[in-house]
Amino acid sequence: MLRIGLTGGIGAGKSTVSATFSECGGIIVDGDVIAREVVEPGTPGLAQLVDAFGEDILQADGALNRPALAAVAFSDDEKRKTLNSIVHPLVGHRRSELIAAASDDAVIVEDIPLLVESQMAPMFPLVIVVDADQELRVRRLIEYRGFSEEDARARIKAQATEEQRRAVADVWLDNSGTAGALVEKARELWYQRIVPFAHNVQQREPAQVTPRLVPYDPTWPDQAKRVLARLNTACGHRARRIDHIGSTAVPGLDAKDVLDIQVTVDSLDIADELSEALLTAGYPRIESVTEDVAKPVGRSTVAEFDHVTDERFWRKRIHASADPGRPTTVHIRVDGWPNQQFALLFTGWVGANPGVQEDYVALKLRVSAAGHHDTGAYADAKERWFLDAYGRAWEWADTTGWRP
């Protein structure tokens, strides 16, 4: 199944997007609904809240008085942390039960108000944030939900900032317009990106991408950070390091809009063990690619691999994103092998040498003009240049003392 994280600040319009996704066929796991469920009368959750905040948070019939709880719990950071420490584990357990009951081909939309605050974003192959201007959100809370202005601002202040949400957002849905406009944005997102993404994961296929050279995008580093966080969560301790590599990692360099990420592991057996975890994270394996092109003179900063010509030391595993909205190639290579070392070296060498950058961009323009229709053909067409670049890069490393 494909799991999507949906979040947004109070009053931003997240419920409208959630309802739209439900109409489109998504299975909605609503954090707000679950949060109410786990503190209903007679539940352990309500008992814990009473122990922490007193019986003044109860109505006469024994049910939770939510405004009274909010007035207490959002009055300072420590009380808010106490509230979250009680409710979050209960919500998480119930969420897991609902997901386990869904079919294997479902698209699960996890509607989580505090997704950012609880640092859950890396758990999801796709994170969608719904946002609106703060003053507009305050007006909505007053007009439609009966908040006082003071309470509305306190609730907004207690949540993540716009900057924090943007840092985790794969998709940013602005809801400064009408509800109808937001519905149309959500439906377009569902059918143009989410449905193809889910299909690709189900079929264990990467999204099909036609390489196209574009000017350097200053958001590439932030996009890469989200991918790195996602892969760190998927790989855990089995990855020695995970790096943003390739052209999009070089500031100012024109490149095809495909992020390259290298996961360094201790062996190819470990790389194979990661296959299902990476699929769940949205990165199916490309079975047809098992190695890089061996260079005439192997080289590594690890002494035993100096002058290696054995093609075994150029083997790898490769995965690619199933998300058509964020093309990404994940190279899994063994620590210290020549291909792993060169991937790190290449980014440093190109970034430090403007003349190399100009030469490389000229090569890309020639290759792009030749009309290669997939990333594999695009890479193959550049290989002759890389054969020469391999030796030049290591000469630069020797001269500068570069180390990975």
mmCIF file of all heavy atoms in Angstrom, residues 204-245:
data_model
loop_
_atom_site.group_PDB
_atom_site.id
_atom_site.type_symbol
_atom_site.label_atom_id
_atom_site.label_comp_id
_atom_site.label_asym_id
_atom_site.label_seq_id
_atom_site.Cartn_x
_atom_site.Cartn_y
_atom_site.Cartn_z
ATOM 1 N N ARG A 204 5.794 -2.379 -8.533
ATOM 2 C CA ARG A 204 7.248 -2.357 -8.281
ATOM 3 C C ARG A 204 7.997 -1.753 -9.463
ATOM 4 O O ARG A 204 9.029 -2.266 -9.907
ATOM 5 C CB ARG A 204 7.764 -3.776 -7.983
ATOM 6 C CG ARG A 204 7.181 -4.380 -6.724
ATOM 7 C CD ARG A 204 7.553 -5.831 -6.542
ATOM 8 N NE ARG A 204 7.082 -6.337 -5.268
ATOM 9 C CZ ARG A 204 7.827 -6.486 -4.169
ATOM 10 N NH1 ARG A 204 9.112 -6.164 -4.220
ATOM 11 N NH2 ARG A 204 7.307 -6.952 -3.053
ATOM 12 N N GLU A 205 7.490 -0.643 -9.928
ATOM 13 C CA GLU A 205 8.085 0.036 -11.072
ATOM 14 C C GLU A 205 8.422 1.478 -10.715
ATOM 15 O O GLU A 205 7.649 2.144 -10.030
ATOM 16 C CB GLU A 205 7.108 0.063 -12.258
ATOM 17 C CG GLU A 205 6.744 -1.299 -12.806
ATOM 18 C CD GLU A 205 5.717 -1.198 -13.913
ATOM 19 O OE1 GLU A 205 5.147 -0.094 -14.086
ATOM 20 O OE2 GLU A 205 5.473 -2.206 -14.585
ATOM 21 N N PRO A 206 9.547 1.983 -11.179
ATOM 22 C CA PRO A 206 9.837 3.414 -10.992
ATOM 23 C C PRO A 206 8.982 4.255 -11.925
ATOM 24 O O PRO A 206 8.474 3.772 -12.943
ATOM 25 C CB PRO A 206 11.312 3.519 -11.353
ATOM 26 C CG PRO A 206 11.541 2.400 -12.327
ATOM 27 C CD PRO A 206 10.641 1.276 -11.880
ATOM 28 N N ALA A 207 8.817 5.513 -11.587
ATOM 29 C CA ALA A 207 8.141 6.435 -12.491
ATOM 30 C C ALA A 207 8.975 6.615 -13.745
ATOM 31 O O ALA A 207 10.206 6.647 -13.688
ATOM 32 C CB ALA A 207 7.923 7.777 -11.802
ATOM 33 N N GLN A 208 8.327 6.715 -14.876
ATOM 34 C CA GLN A 208 9.026 6.903 -16.139
ATOM 35 C C GLN A 208 9.376 8.383 -16.315
ATOM 36 O O GLN A 208 8.514 9.248 -16.206
ATOM 37 C CB GLN A 208 8.161 6.423 -17.302
ATOM 38 C CG GLN A 208 7.864 4.932 -17.261
ATOM 39 C CD GLN A 208 9.135 4.091 -17.293
ATOM 40 O OE1 GLN A 208 9.989 4.281 -18.156
ATOM 41 N NE2 GLN A 208 9.266 3.171 -16.343
ATOM 42 N N VAL A 209 10.649 8.643 -16.556
ATOM 43 C CA VAL A 209 11.130 10.021 -16.632
ATOM 44 C C VAL A 209 11.913 10.223 -17.918
ATOM 45 O O VAL A 209 12.746 9.394 -18.278
ATOM 46 C CB VAL A 209 12.041 10.345 -15.427
ATOM 47 C CG1 VAL A 209 12.596 11.754 -15.552
ATOM 48 C CG2 VAL A 209 11.274 10.179 -14.120
ATOM 49 N N THR A 210 11.642 11.301 -18.616
ATOM 50 C CA THR A 210 12.442 11.688 -19.775
ATOM 51 C C THR A 210 13.446 12.741 -19.344
ATOM 52 O O THR A 210 13.045 13.815 -18.883
ATOM 53 C CB THR A 210 11.547 12.258 -20.894
ATOM 54 O OG1 THR A 210 10.616 11.255 -21.307
ATOM 55 C CG2 THR A 210 12.401 12.679 -22.086
ATOM 56 N N PRO A 211 14.743 12.451 -19.417
ATOM 57 C CA PRO A 211 15.736 13.423 -18.948
ATOM 58 C C PRO A 211 15.617 14.745 -19.710
ATOM 59 O O PRO A 211 15.503 14.756 -20.928
ATOM 60 C CB PRO A 211 17.074 12.740 -19.254
ATOM 61 C CG PRO A 211 16.747 11.292 -19.400
ATOM 62 C CD PRO A 211 15.365 11.239 -19.962
ATOM 63 N N ARG A 212 15.656 15.822 -18.955
ATOM 64 C CA ARG A 212 15.588 17.147 -19.576
ATOM 65 C C ARG A 212 16.493 18.081 -18.785
ATOM 66 O O ARG A 212 16.321 18.246 -17.579
ATOM 67 C CB ARG A 212 14.150 17.669 -19.581
ATOM 68 C CG ARG A 212 13.971 18.990 -20.303
ATOM 69 C CD ARG A 212 12.487 19.305 -20.454
ATOM 70 N NE ARG A 212 11.829 19.443 -19.181
ATOM 71 C CZ ARG A 212 11.742 20.589 -18.489
ATOM 72 N NH1 ARG A 212 12.311 21.697 -18.985
ATOM 73 N NH2 ARG A 212 11.106 20.644 -17.348
ATOM 74 N N LEU A 213 17.447 18.659 -19.467
ATOM 75 C CA LEU A 213 18.383 19.556 -18.809
ATOM 76 C C LEU A 213 17.684 20.860 -18.454
ATOM 77 O O LEU A 213 17.029 21.470 -19.290
ATOM 78 C CB LEU A 213 19.572 19.830 -19.728
ATOM 79 C CG LEU A 213 20.805 20.459 -19.090
ATOM 80 C CD1 LEU A 213 21.418 19.513 -18.068
ATOM 81 C CD2 LEU A 213 21.834 20.814 -20.163
ATOM 82 N N VAL A 214 17.812 21.266 -17.199
ATOM 83 C CA VAL A 214 17.170 22.493 -16.727
ATOM 84 C C VAL A 214 18.191 23.319 -15.939
ATOM 85 O O VAL A 214 19.202 22.796 -15.468
ATOM 86 C CB VAL A 214 15.957 22.182 -15.819
ATOM 87 C CG1 VAL A 214 14.888 21.429 -16.601
ATOM 88 C CG2 VAL A 214 16.381 21.387 -14.579
ATOM 89 N N PRO A 215 17.953 24.621 -15.794
ATOM 90 C CA PRO A 215 18.850 25.432 -14.960
ATOM 91 C C PRO A 215 18.843 24.938 -13.510
ATOM 92 O O PRO A 215 17.864 24.336 -13.051
ATOM 93 C CB PRO A 215 18.253 26.845 -15.069
ATOM 94 C CG PRO A 215 17.438 26.819 -16.312
ATOM 95 C CD PRO A 215 16.904 25.426 -16.435
ATOM 96 N N TYR A 216 19.915 25.217 -12.821
ATOM 97 C CA TYR A 216 20.015 24.813 -11.417
ATOM 98 C C TYR A 216 18.817 25.317 -10.622
ATOM 99 O O TYR A 216 18.411 26.476 -10.742
ATOM 100 C CB TYR A 216 21.301 25.376 -10.801
ATOM 101 C CG TYR A 216 21.443 25.061 -9.333
ATOM 102 C CD1 TYR A 216 21.843 23.796 -8.912
ATOM 103 C CD2 TYR A 216 21.154 26.025 -8.367
ATOM 104 C CE1 TYR A 216 21.972 23.503 -7.562
ATOM 105 C CE2 TYR A 216 21.277 25.736 -7.007
ATOM 106 C CZ TYR A 216 21.681 24.469 -6.611
ATOM 107 O OH TYR A 216 21.795 24.182 -5.274
ATOM 108 N N ASP A 217 18.244 24.429 -9.828
ATOM 109 C CA ASP A 217 17.090 24.750 -9.005
ATOM 110 C C ASP A 217 17.557 24.904 -7.554
ATOM 111 O O ASP A 217 18.018 23.938 -6.939
ATOM 112 C CB ASP A 217 16.052 23.629 -9.098
ATOM 113 C CG ASP A 217 14.763 23.944 -8.354
ATOM 114 O OD1 ASP A 217 14.779 24.823 -7.473
ATOM 115 O OD2 ASP A 217 13.742 23.287 -8.629
ATOM 116 N N PRO A 218 17.461 26.093 -6.974
ATOM 117 C CA PRO A 218 17.951 26.293 -5.603
ATOM 118 C C PRO A 218 17.174 25.503 -4.551
ATOM 119 O O PRO A 218 17.615 25.427 -3.403
ATOM 120 C CB PRO A 218 17.795 27.808 -5.382
ATOM 121 C CG PRO A 218 16.799 28.253 -6.389
ATOM 122 C CD PRO A 218 16.964 27.346 -7.578
ATOM 123 N N THR A 219 16.032 24.899 -4.931
ATOM 124 C CA THR A 219 15.295 24.072 -3.972
ATOM 125 C C THR A 219 15.778 22.617 -3.971
ATOM 126 O O THR A 219 15.334 21.829 -3.138
ATOM 127 C CB THR A 219 13.779 24.085 -4.254
ATOM 128 O OG1 THR A 219 13.496 23.355 -5.461
ATOM 129 C CG2 THR A 219 13.254 25.507 -4.378
ATOM 130 N N TRP A 220 16.671 22.260 -4.884
ATOM 131 C CA TRP A 220 17.146 20.870 -4.916
ATOM 132 C C TRP A 220 17.753 20.419 -3.588
ATOM 133 O O TRP A 220 17.461 19.308 -3.132
ATOM 134 C CB TRP A 220 18.145 20.683 -6.054
ATOM 135 C CG TRP A 220 17.514 20.492 -7.391
ATOM 136 C CD1 TRP A 220 16.251 20.040 -7.656
ATOM 137 C CD2 TRP A 220 18.115 20.740 -8.671
ATOM 138 N NE1 TRP A 220 16.019 19.993 -9.023
ATOM 139 C CE2 TRP A 220 17.151 20.416 -9.662
ATOM 140 C CE3 TRP A 220 19.364 21.205 -9.067
ATOM 141 C CZ2 TRP A 220 17.414 20.534 -11.029
ATOM 142 C CZ3 TRP A 220 19.620 21.326 -10.428
ATOM 143 C CH2 TRP A 220 18.666 20.995 -11.399
ATOM 144 N N PRO A 221 18.603 21.231 -2.932
ATOM 145 C CA PRO A 221 19.148 20.761 -1.650
ATOM 146 C C PRO A 221 18.073 20.466 -0.609
ATOM 147 O O PRO A 221 18.173 19.468 0.125
ATOM 148 C CB PRO A 221 20.052 21.925 -1.213
ATOM 149 C CG PRO A 221 20.445 22.603 -2.492
ATOM 150 C CD PRO A 221 19.232 22.499 -3.359
ATOM 151 N N ASP A 222 17.035 21.304 -0.540
ATOM 152 C CA ASP A 222 15.965 21.051 0.432
ATOM 153 C C ASP A 222 15.156 19.815 0.052
ATOM 154 O O ASP A 222 14.741 19.034 0.922
ATOM 155 C CB ASP A 222 15.038 22.265 0.528
ATOM 156 C CG ASP A 222 15.698 23.443 1.237
ATOM 157 O OD1 ASP A 222 16.617 23.204 2.051
ATOM 158 O OD2 ASP A 222 15.302 24.597 0.977
ATOM 159 N N GLN A 223 14.920 19.632 -1.250
ATOM 160 C CA GLN A 223 14.229 18.422 -1.682
ATOM 161 C C GLN A 223 15.053 17.188 -1.328
ATOM 162 O O GLN A 223 14.514 16.168 -0.882
ATOM 163 C CB GLN A 223 13.988 18.483 -3.180
ATOM 164 C CG GLN A 223 13.016 19.570 -3.611
ATOM 165 C CD GLN A 223 12.776 19.556 -5.112
ATOM 166 O OE1 GLN A 223 12.509 18.518 -5.703
ATOM 167 N NE2 GLN A 223 12.874 20.722 -5.741
ATOM 168 N N ALA A 224 16.362 17.289 -1.521
ATOM 169 C CA ALA A 224 17.241 16.164 -1.200
ATOM 170 C C ALA A 224 17.227 15.860 0.296
ATOM 171 O O ALA A 224 17.273 14.691 0.701
ATOM 172 C CB ALA A 224 18.662 16.450 -1.668
ATOM 173 N N LYS A 225 17.147 16.884 1.131
ATOM 174 C CA LYS A 225 17.093 16.662 2.584
ATOM 175 C C LYS A 225 15.880 15.823 2.964
ATOM 176 O O LYS A 225 15.961 14.960 3.839
ATOM 177 C CB LYS A 225 17.055 18.012 3.320
ATOM 178 C CG LYS A 225 18.372 18.747 3.343
ATOM 179 C CD LYS A 225 18.232 20.080 4.083
ATOM 180 C CE LYS A 225 19.538 20.853 4.055
ATOM 181 N NZ LYS A 225 19.400 22.188 4.727
ATOM 182 N N ARG A 226 14.751 16.083 2.309
ATOM 183 C CA ARG A 226 13.558 15.285 2.608
ATOM 184 C C ARG A 226 13.760 13.830 2.194
ATOM 185 O O ARG A 226 13.345 12.897 2.899
ATOM 186 C CB ARG A 226 12.335 15.887 1.906
ATOM 187 C CG ARG A 226 11.896 17.211 2.498
ATOM 188 C CD ARG A 226 10.522 17.618 2.014
ATOM 189 N NE ARG A 226 10.506 18.059 0.637
ATOM 190 C CZ ARG A 226 10.764 19.307 0.247
ATOM 191 N NH1 ARG A 226 11.082 20.230 1.146
ATOM 192 N NH2 ARG A 226 10.702 19.649 -1.022
ATOM 193 N N VAL A 227 14.390 13.641 1.035
ATOM 194 C CA VAL A 227 14.656 12.275 0.581
ATOM 195 C C VAL A 227 15.637 11.587 1.522
ATOM 196 O O VAL A 227 15.452 10.412 1.887
ATOM 197 C CB VAL A 227 15.189 12.281 -0.863
ATOM 198 C CG1 VAL A 227 15.577 10.870 -1.289
ATOM 199 C CG2 VAL A 227 14.140 12.849 -1.822
ATOM 200 N N LEU A 228 16.674 12.289 1.949
ATOM 201 C CA LEU A 228 17.657 11.707 2.861
ATOM 202 C C LEU A 228 17.000 11.297 4.174
ATOM 203 O O LEU A 228 17.285 10.222 4.709
ATOM 204 C CB LEU A 228 18.783 12.708 3.136
ATOM 205 C CG LEU A 228 19.695 13.068 1.961
ATOM 206 C CD1 LEU A 228 20.701 14.127 2.377
ATOM 207 C CD2 LEU A 228 20.423 11.848 1.426
ATOM 208 N N ALA A 229 16.126 12.142 4.700
ATOM 209 C CA ALA A 229 15.432 11.805 5.945
ATOM 210 C C ALA A 229 14.571 10.561 5.771
ATOM 211 O O ALA A 229 14.522 9.675 6.638
ATOM 212 C CB ALA A 229 14.580 12.989 6.405
ATOM 213 N N ARG A 230 13.896 10.480 4.622
ATOM 214 C CA ARG A 230 13.041 9.322 4.329
ATOM 215 C C ARG A 230 13.882 8.044 4.216
ATOM 216 O O ARG A 230 13.521 6.983 4.753
ATOM 217 C CB ARG A 230 12.302 9.616 3.024
ATOM 218 C CG ARG A 230 11.172 8.683 2.672
ATOM 219 C CD ARG A 230 10.356 9.300 1.544
ATOM 220 N NE ARG A 230 9.573 10.425 2.015
ATOM 221 C CZ ARG A 230 9.419 11.569 1.362
ATOM 222 N NH1 ARG A 230 10.044 11.758 0.209
ATOM 223 N NH2 ARG A 230 8.671 12.529 1.862
ATOM 224 N N LEU A 231 15.011 8.144 3.530
ATOM 225 C CA LEU A 231 15.867 6.971 3.346
ATOM 226 C C LEU A 231 16.564 6.581 4.647
ATOM 227 O O LEU A 231 16.771 5.387 4.910
ATOM 228 C CB LEU A 231 16.895 7.244 2.256
ATOM 229 C CG LEU A 231 16.331 7.375 0.843
ATOM 230 C CD1 LEU A 231 17.419 7.790 -0.137
ATOM 231 C CD2 LEU A 231 15.688 6.066 0.386
ATOM 232 N N ASN A 232 16.937 7.557 5.462
ATOM 233 C CA ASN A 232 17.507 7.230 6.767
ATOM 234 C C ASN A 232 16.516 6.449 7.616
ATOM 235 O O ASN A 232 16.892 5.505 8.314
ATOM 236 C CB ASN A 232 17.925 8.511 7.502
ATOM 237 C CG ASN A 232 19.363 8.903 7.214
ATOM 238 O OD1 ASN A 232 20.271 8.123 7.432
ATOM 239 N ND2 ASN A 232 19.563 10.114 6.714
ATOM 240 N N THR A 233 15.254 6.834 7.559
ATOM 241 C CA THR A 233 14.222 6.110 8.301
ATOM 242 C C THR A 233 14.044 4.701 7.751
ATOM 243 O O THR A 233 13.913 3.729 8.510
ATOM 244 C CB THR A 233 12.890 6.875 8.227
ATOM 245 O OG1 THR A 233 13.055 8.161 8.837
ATOM 246 C CG2 THR A 233 11.778 6.126 8.943
ATOM 247 N N ALA A 234 14.051 4.572 6.419
ATOM 248 C CA ALA A 234 13.852 3.251 5.802
ATOM 249 C C ALA A 234 15.044 2.323 6.031
ATOM 250 O O ALA A 234 14.872 1.133 6.279
ATOM 251 C CB ALA A 234 13.597 3.414 4.302
ATOM 252 N N CYS A 235 16.247 2.855 5.946
ATOM 253 C CA CYS A 235 17.451 2.022 6.018
ATOM 254 C C CYS A 235 17.943 1.788 7.442
ATOM 255 O O CYS A 235 18.532 0.745 7.739
ATOM 256 C CB CYS A 235 18.573 2.654 5.199
ATOM 257 S SG CYS A 235 18.221 2.794 3.431
ATOM 258 N N GLY A 236 17.725 2.764 8.302
ATOM 259 C CA GLY A 236 18.153 2.620 9.681
ATOM 260 C C GLY A 236 19.644 2.364 9.808
ATOM 261 O O GLY A 236 20.466 2.923 9.065
ATOM 262 N N HIS A 237 20.014 1.475 10.737
ATOM 263 C CA HIS A 237 21.426 1.220 11.027
ATOM 264 C C HIS A 237 22.148 0.490 9.904
ATOM 265 O O HIS A 237 23.377 0.413 9.897
ATOM 266 C CB HIS A 237 21.543 0.380 12.312
ATOM 267 C CG HIS A 237 21.044 -1.017 12.142
ATOM 268 N ND1 HIS A 237 19.696 -1.348 12.215
ATOM 269 C CD2 HIS A 237 21.698 -2.190 11.887
ATOM 270 C CE1 HIS A 237 19.549 -2.650 12.024
ATOM 271 N NE2 HIS A 237 20.734 -3.173 11.827
ATOM 272 N N ARG A 238 21.421 -0.041 8.935
ATOM 273 C CA ARG A 238 22.069 -0.803 7.864
ATOM 274 C C ARG A 238 22.809 0.099 6.877
ATOM 275 O O ARG A 238 23.626 -0.387 6.090
ATOM 276 C CB ARG A 238 21.033 -1.664 7.142
ATOM 277 C CG ARG A 238 20.520 -2.816 8.003
ATOM 278 C CD ARG A 238 19.375 -3.565 7.344
ATOM 279 N NE ARG A 238 18.167 -2.760 7.272
ATOM 280 C CZ ARG A 238 16.976 -3.231 6.913
ATOM 281 N NH1 ARG A 238 16.858 -4.513 6.575
ATOM 282 N NH2 ARG A 238 15.924 -2.438 6.872
ATOM 283 N N ALA A 239 22.521 1.382 6.896
ATOM 284 C CA ALA A 239 23.248 2.331 6.040
ATOM 285 C C ALA A 239 24.377 2.976 6.830
ATOM 286 O O ALA A 239 24.157 3.519 7.913
ATOM 287 C CB ALA A 239 22.293 3.403 5.520
ATOM 288 N N ARG A 240 25.583 2.927 6.283
ATOM 289 C CA ARG A 240 26.718 3.591 6.938
ATOM 290 C C ARG A 240 26.637 5.105 6.760
ATOM 291 O O ARG A 240 27.008 5.862 7.647
ATOM 292 C CB ARG A 240 28.034 3.071 6.364
ATOM 293 C CG ARG A 240 28.333 1.622 6.721
ATOM 294 C CD ARG A 240 29.699 1.203 6.226
ATOM 295 N NE ARG A 240 30.755 1.956 6.880
ATOM 296 C CZ ARG A 240 31.378 1.561 7.991
ATOM 297 N NH1 ARG A 240 31.018 0.438 8.586
ATOM 298 N NH2 ARG A 240 32.345 2.295 8.506
ATOM 299 N N ARG A 241 26.187 5.522 5.606
ATOM 300 C CA ARG A 241 25.981 6.940 5.337
ATOM 301 C C ARG A 241 25.058 7.059 4.132
ATOM 302 O O ARG A 241 24.953 6.141 3.305
ATOM 303 C CB ARG A 241 27.299 7.667 5.082
ATOM 304 C CG ARG A 241 28.083 7.144 3.885
ATOM 305 C CD ARG A 241 29.444 7.806 3.757
ATOM 306 N NE ARG A 241 29.337 9.212 3.368
ATOM 307 C CZ ARG A 241 30.395 10.028 3.275
ATOM 308 N NH1 ARG A 241 31.611 9.582 3.553
ATOM 309 N NH2 ARG A 241 30.240 11.287 2.901
ATOM 310 N N ILE A 242 24.395 8.204 4.023
ATOM 311 C CA ILE A 242 23.517 8.481 2.881
ATOM 312 C C ILE A 242 23.827 9.899 2.421
ATOM 313 O O ILE A 242 23.811 10.839 3.218
ATOM 314 C CB ILE A 242 22.029 8.332 3.244
ATOM 315 C CG1 ILE A 242 21.746 6.934 3.810
ATOM 316 C CG2 ILE A 242 21.159 8.597 2.025
ATOM 317 C CD1 ILE A 242 20.299 6.716 4.222
ATOM 318 N N ASP A 243 24.123 10.057 1.115
ATOM 319 C CA ASP A 243 24.587 11.342 0.597
ATOM 320 C C ASP A 243 23.821 11.752 -0.650
ATOM 321 O O ASP A 243 23.454 10.905 -1.486
ATOM 322 C CB ASP A 243 26.078 11.245 0.235
ATOM 323 C CG ASP A 243 26.960 10.933 1.426
ATOM 324 O OD1 ASP A 243 27.305 11.870 2.164
ATOM 325 O OD2 ASP A 243 27.292 9.742 1.625
ATOM 326 N N HIS A 244 23.636 13.054 -0.765
ATOM 327 C CA HIS A 244 23.151 13.648 -2.003
ATOM 328 C C HIS A 244 24.358 13.769 -2.932
ATOM 329 O O HIS A 244 25.345 14.432 -2.596
ATOM 330 C CB HIS A 244 22.550 15.019 -1.698
ATOM 331 C CG HIS A 244 22.007 15.744 -2.892
ATOM 332 N ND1 HIS A 244 21.782 17.107 -2.894
ATOM 333 C CD2 HIS A 244 21.622 15.310 -4.121
ATOM 334 C CE1 HIS A 244 21.289 17.476 -4.057
ATOM 335 N NE2 HIS A 244 21.183 16.397 -4.830
ATOM 336 N N ILE A 245 24.315 13.116 -4.081
ATOM 337 C CA ILE A 245 25.438 13.103 -5.005
ATOM 338 C C ILE A 245 24.970 13.590 -6.376
ATOM 339 O O ILE A 245 23.821 13.971 -6.562
ATOM 340 C CB ILE A 245 26.052 11.684 -5.124
ATOM 341 C CG1 ILE A 245 24.991 10.702 -5.648
ATOM 342 C CG2 ILE A 245 26.622 11.224 -3.788
ATOM 343 C CD1 ILE A 245 25.547 9.344 -6.051
#
